[in-house]
Amino acid sequence: ETIMPSLFDLTGKVTIVTGSTKGIGLAIATRMAEHGATVVISSRKADACKEVADGIVKSGGDAHVIPCNISRRAEVDGLIAGSIKHYGKVDILVCNAAVNPYYGPLLDITDEAFDKIMGSNVKSNIWLCSLAIPPMAARGKGSVVIVSSIGGLRGSTVIGAYGISKAADFALCRSLAGEWGPK
């Protein structure tokens, strides 16, 4: 059996992964820890966060829990500030958390459901980036990953609003790259 060398060494890098207690976020957080990153585990439920962080620590990694509902500005502020207070910096921000409270035709979506999707899936990423990117730029290094979806590229008869939010995330990423990439 051939052992593949690691393609990544994230030793010393502090990473925040939103929505990191299940699915894609859990996989990202776990794999980053395996590659040496210190990981801030974040989702709405503190107990789920603790379970993931305990697993990372048990495997020899370093993880810290800061619960956060990304739709609440004060909690987003607390996530970034708490990460910096605990570890001194944020090197990598992974904006993974998202919601989809509505399945059905676009013309039937309520304003409340549409606003929840856009707020959680787009506006929260702007909040997170506005707090994490300037200190990265001041150090001259850092990375932001905004998790989107094929739904942002293709139409859907049942998750159209979610797709709109994910298309907006693609545009957000391109614009942030233009503004901040050179820094």
Side-chain angles (χ1 to χ4, degrees):
E1 180 179 331
T2 305
I3 297 174
M4 294 295 293
S6 174
L7 298 175
F8 304 98
D9 181 8
L10 298 175
T11 303
K13 302 292 184 191
V14 176
T15 305
I16 297 173
V17 183
T18 65
S20 50
T21 57
K22 59 188 176 184
I24 293 168
L26 173 60
I28 291 169
T30 303
R31 188 52 52 103
M32 286 188 147
E34 288 171 3
H35 288 282
T38 295
V39 184
V40 177
I41 302 299
S42 184
S43 74
R44 289 173 294 182
K45 295 181 176 74
D47 55 342
C49 292
K50 184 177 183 328
E51 189 177 321
V52 172
D54 288 350
I56 288 172
V57 170
K58 187 177 178 186
S59 298
D62 185 358
H64 181 63
V65 169
I66 302 180
C68 175
N69 180 331
I70 54 155
S71 71
R72 298 178 182 149
R73 179 66 197 238
E75 292 186 31
V76 169
D77 293 348
L79 173 60
I80 302 297
S83 299
I84 293 170
K85 182 177 180 185
H86 192 79
Y87 289 117
K89 63 179 180 166
V90 175
D91 297 297
I92 303 166
L93 171 64
V94 181
C95 301
N96 169 67
V99 301
N100 185 35
Y102 174 77
Y103 292 84
L106 264 177
L107 301 187
D108 293 337
I109 193 170
T110 64
D111 289 349
E112 179 184 59
F114 186 81
D115 291 346
K116 181 173 184 173
I117 290 168
M118 296 305 287
S120 292
N121 300 1
V122 183
K123 186 165 55 176
S124 71
N125 291 341
I126 295 171
W127 292 341
L128 288 158
C129 290
S130 73
L131 298 167
I133 291 175
M136 290 177 185
R139 288 193 312 276
K141 58 186 170 188
S143 297
V144 175
V145 177
I146 298 175
V147 177
S148 190
S149 168
I150 189 69
L153 298 173
R154 293 199 176 146
S156 169
T157 59
V158 291
I159 59 167
Y162 177 83
I164 291 167
S165 76
K166 290 303 175 174
D169 280 336
F170 285 130
L172 172 60
C173 196
R174 287 189 293 266
S175 294
L176 287 172
E179 292 177 26
W180 291 96
K183 298 179 178 86

